[in-house]
Amino acid sequence: MAAGASTFYPPRAGHYSRALVQLARLRYGVVFVLEVLVPGLAFLLHRRRVAGLLVGGAWGAAMLVFWVRMGTNAGALAGLALPMLHALSVNEALAPLVPRRRRLLPGVAAALFAFVAYGSFDRHFVTSMVQVVEAGGQRVLVAPGVEPGALRIGQWVAYQLPTHGVLMLEQVLALPGAEVRFADGGYWVGESFHPCAFRGFPKTGSLRVPEGAFFIWPTRRFITQARAYTTQGLLPLSLVPKEALRGCIYESWFGRPQHGANAD
């Protein structure tokens, strides 16, 4: 060692250098993941502010329309726009890693990734909360998975008519085990009278709802106007087993009424 040279040498300098490199790699990895997950962020971090605000804002607006207008054409178009906008952001996140002339394949891969990811999100998350069903000229939103003990008289449900396999949207008129007494203009359940003016509805007699079934009167016109279905013919159809229930119809969805009489 030369005279006058410092005898100090940081023994762990190599270790610190490797740690900094690993930290930088970790930081880059975290940023890249965020760019992939957050629509529009890649554009903002790549100093393309206008494009980032447009993509991020459009994605947020599409997500809002998708939920608020679910079950309508506007909601369907918004659901289609979501993965497309996200694919643009993923493609931008990949841009520093791929030469410009070779970005077509990563762009296609980003689009496929986005559509698969959003399809999986829809199947495993969205449909566990809400499903779109259509019957009798109506398209309504249903909360799947009916808990029989949670139903109440007057609640709207979607169910499969056992003898026809037709989807019905109707109100629950009586619960399992109830004694229904028919009267002019309605029916009695216990001490409660419920007005009712359905076509073919009985005016006399009584009916006990079996356990595991619900009293739900069918109102779709193709059934009530058929000659084969008199009042006595409609009575068996009105006892709906709990297994036939598809779900409870939301009373409203962001201010939109979700029930009404069947159209056909």
Side-chain angles (χ1 to χ4, degrees), residues 17 112 122 131 150 173 176 211 256:
S17 299
L112 290 175
D122 181 70
Q131 294 179 3
L173 303 184
E211 293 296 335
R256 286 187 292 142

Side-chain angles (χ1 to χ4, degrees), residues 80-135:
L80 183 63
L82 285 171
M84 296 174 64
L85 291 167
H86 206 144
L88 289 176
S89 192
V90 173
N91 191 45
E92 179 64 20
L94 295 172
L97 306 177
V98 183
R100 184 178 297 274
R101 64 180 180 276
R102 297 182 180 177
R103 289 183 185 174
L104 177 60
L105 185 58
V108 173
L112 290 175
F113 164 78
F115 276 95
V116 170
Y118 277 81
S120 178
F121 172 78
D122 181 70
R123 287 192 304 273
H124 295 95
F125 179 72
V126 176
T127 55
S128 67
M129 298 172 52
V130 57
Q131 294 179 3
V132 181
V133 300
E134 188 169 358

Side-chain angles (χ1 to χ4, degrees), residues 174-192:
L175 303 177
E179 180 74 23
V180 179
R181 304 191 309 278
F182 301 110
D184 190 14
Y187 64 100
W188 293 85
V189 177
E191 300 300 319
S192 300

Side-chain angles (χ1 to χ4, degrees), residues 66-72 129-143 154-158 168-171 247-262:
F66 172 73
W67 282 103
V68 174
R69 302 300 298 172
M70 184 177 292
T72 67
M129 298 172 52
V130 57
Q131 294 179 3
V132 181
V133 300
E134 188 169 358
Q138 285 188 290
R139 185 182 295 172
V140 297
L141 303 179
V142 172
Q155 191 163 6
W156 287 82
V157 295
M168 307 284 285
L169 311 176
E170 307 286 3
Q171 283 180 296
C248 297
I249 301 174
Y250 284 98
E251 293 184 2
S252 65
W253 186 263
F254 290 95
R256 286 187 292 142
Q258 291 297 305
H259 54 71
N262 290 288

Side-chain angles (χ1 to χ4, degrees), residues 7-226:
T7 58
F8 174 76
Y9 179 81
R12 298 180 61 84
H15 172 76
Y16 290 139
S17 299
R18 289 192 298 271
L20 290 174
V21 170
Q22 292 173 357
L23 183 62
R25 289 175 177 172
L26 177 62
R27 177 180 177 276
Y28 175 79
V30 171
V31 171
F32 178 76
V33 170
L34 290 176
E35 288 180 346
V36 170
L37 293 179
V38 182
L41 180 62
F43 290 97
L44 295 175
L45 295 180
H46 296 174
R47 299 183 180 181
R48 300 180 62 185
R49 177 180 170 82
V50 175
L53 293 176
L54 286 175
V55 171
W59 185 90
M63 180 62 78
L64 180 64
V65 173
F66 172 73
W67 282 103
V68 174
R69 302 300 298 172
M70 184 177 292
T72 67
N73 292 334
L77 289 175
L80 183 63
L82 285 171
M84 296 174 64
L85 291 167
H86 206 144
L88 289 176
S89 192
V90 173
N91 191 45
E92 179 64 20
L94 295 172
L97 306 177
V98 183
R100 184 178 297 274
R101 64 180 180 276
R102 297 182 180 177
R103 289 183 185 174
L104 177 60
L105 185 58
V108 173
L112 290 175
F113 164 78
F115 276 95
V116 170
Y118 277 81
S120 178
F121 172 78
D122 181 70
R123 287 192 304 273
H124 295 95
F125 179 72
V126 176
T127 55
S128 67
M129 298 172 52
V130 57
Q131 294 179 3
V132 181
V133 300
E134 188 169 358
Q138 285 188 290
R139 185 182 295 172
V140 297
L141 303 179
V142 172
V146 177
E147 292 293 336
L151 291 180
R152 64 183 187 277
I153 294 178
Q155 191 163 6
W156 287 82
V157 295
Y159 70 96
Q160 210 82 24
L161 193 63
T163 56
H164 289 67
V166 177
L167 190 64
M168 307 284 285
L169 311 176
E170 307 286 3
Q171 283 180 296
V172 175
L173 303 184
L175 303 177
E179 180 74 23
V180 179
R181 304 191 309 278
F182 301 110
D184 190 14
Y187 64 100
W188 293 85
V189 177
E191 300 300 319
S192 300
F193 180 76
H194 302 273
C196 182
F198 294 142
R199 184 184 182 93
F201 198 78
K203 296 182 178 180
T204 59
S206 63
L207 172 72
R208 176 170 290 280
V209 183
E211 293 296 335
F214 295 86
F215 181 51
I216 304 175
W217 194 259
T219 64
R220 290 186 66 174
R221 293 174 188 169
F222 84 93
I223 292 177
T224 58
Q225 292 183 354

